[in-house]
Amino acid sequence: MTVTVLGLGRMGSALAGAFLAAGLPTTVWNRSAARADALVERGAVRAASPREAVEASELIVVCVTTYDDVHAVLEPVAGLLAGRTLVNLTSGSPEAARETAAWAAGHGAGYLDGAIMTTPPGIGNPAYMLLYSGSPAAFAAHRAVLAELGDPVDLGADPGLASLYDTALLGLMWSALSGWLHGTALTGADKVDATAFTPVAVRWLTAVGGFMSTYAPQIDEGHYPGDDATLDIHLATMDHLLHASEERGLDVGLPALLKRVTERAVADGHGGDSYARLIEAVRDGGRA
């Protein structure tokens, strides 16, 4: 298997480095040619142009800034893509991914859209996921090579799903980190070090993951039995969080938001339902 990597920013360089570490013949190209120097020293072949880079390999991995950049690089050499597989690890929208998949198919290329769920130092570690969606045949043919970058997770044939999952998971990350930061500030106001609070918080996230697994079927079914903890109970506990935060002079925007959404659901007669009921408020743009 021969691999080409187009785009050698920090992430693209990490991708190419992982392929080289696996012993795969790897061709690299970047608009600023000097970015390839360190990889060439490790055995990569420097392509002088996108045409030369595409001609060198059957598997083309592109990791640039935007989907517009993907097209700017590949449009002039689109005629060379037939029979090759294009793996696009550029961040973008599900709509852009679907449009690019159709464009690639129009030029006879197999297409996978991908999302990298780690930072560059995590590339090559199977503990971290890379999400893929698009051609099932392309994924099956190249899974072993893609596994050199991290654990390859196949989300199915819709090429927009990797980007959609990526966006959703980033939202989850920001929400979780924001909650952790608020908790760190709250405990820190009483002289608890962040390094003391965090191991307990991380352990608590295991239980939170269990709640998510319990609530997911409720969301799919549209039925929210409050047989673990009702919204009434959650709302009363949120008052404790709001009070403790106010007493310590913290920004209360996050707990106030949680309370406001929960209050609306309780006022609408859902106080006996599970926390999963709040999905309806999200779906209704906060009006439920």
Side-chain angles (χ1 to χ4, degrees):
M1 176 64 65
T2 54
V3 184
T4 284
V5 177
L6 299 168
L8 299 176
R10 288 190 64 213
M11 185 59 79
S13 295
L15 299 173
F19 289 136
L20 289 170
L24 293 165
T26 304
T27 297
V28 295
W29 175 86
N30 193 73
R31 199 176 302 277
S32 301
R35 286 280 185 92
D37 290 349
L39 293 164
V40 170
E41 289 179 4
R42 294 175 57 186
V45 176
R46 188 200 313 267
S49 65
R51 172 175 292 274
E52 186 178 312
V54 171
E55 287 178 331
S57 304
E58 54 189 296
L59 179 63
I60 313 299
V61 177
V62 57
C63 184
V64 289
T65 304
T66 68
Y67 278 70
D68 287 343
D69 294 329
V70 172
H71 288 283
V73 171
L74 291 177
E75 282 282 7
V77 296
L80 300 174
L81 292 175
R84 306 181 198 274
T85 296
L86 176 62
V87 178
N88 184 11
L89 296 178
T90 302
S91 295
S93 69
E95 291 73 23
R98 291 171 183 136
E99 291 169 3
T100 304
W103 173 85
H107 292 287
Y111 183 83
L112 290 171
D113 208 84
I116 303 170
M117 306 312 296
T118 183
T119 54
I123 294 297
N125 186 337
Y128 297 109
M129 300 183 297
L130 279 80
L131 310 179
Y132 297 95
S133 58
S135 166
F139 183 82
H142 299 291
R143 187 190 186 286
V145 173
L146 296 175
E148 300 298 344
L149 304 178
D151 182 23
V153 177
D154 181 14
L155 298 177
D158 178 353
L161 286 182
S163 178
L164 187 65
Y165 270 61
D166 181 36
T167 303
L169 291 171
L170 287 173
L172 174 62
M173 177 189 73
W174 292 321
S175 299
L177 286 175
S178 295
W180 167 72
L181 288 171
H182 190 93
T184 300
L186 184 65
T187 54
D190 284 15
K191 310 303 181 185
V192 177
D193 289 340
T195 50
F197 171 70
T198 297
V200 180
V202 170
R203 186 173 179 182
W204 171 236
L205 289 176
T206 301
V208 173
F211 302 154
M212 293 163 62
S213 296
T214 296
Y215 292 150
Q218 296 182 14
I219 291 170
D220 288 343
E221 295 166 9
H223 177 60
Y224 312 102
D227 48 12
D228 57 351
T230 65
L231 284 177
D232 285 331
I233 293 173
H234 282 290
L235 183 58
T237 310
M238 287 173 186
D239 276 330
H240 302 326
L241 175 60
L242 193 61
H243 172 75
S245 299
E246 290 172 337
E247 285 293 306
R248 287 157 180 79
L250 303 184
D251 186 309
V252 296
L254 180 58
L257 171 64
L258 299 174
K259 182 182 178 183
R260 184 167 64 251
V261 174
T262 307
E263 279 179 328
R264 280 201 298 266
V266 170
D268 287 341
H270 303 305
D273 290 353
S274 74
Y275 198 83
R277 161 64 69 174
L278 298 184
I279 187 71
E280 305 296 347
V282 177
R283 286 171 173 164
D284 292 342
R287 295 182 295 276

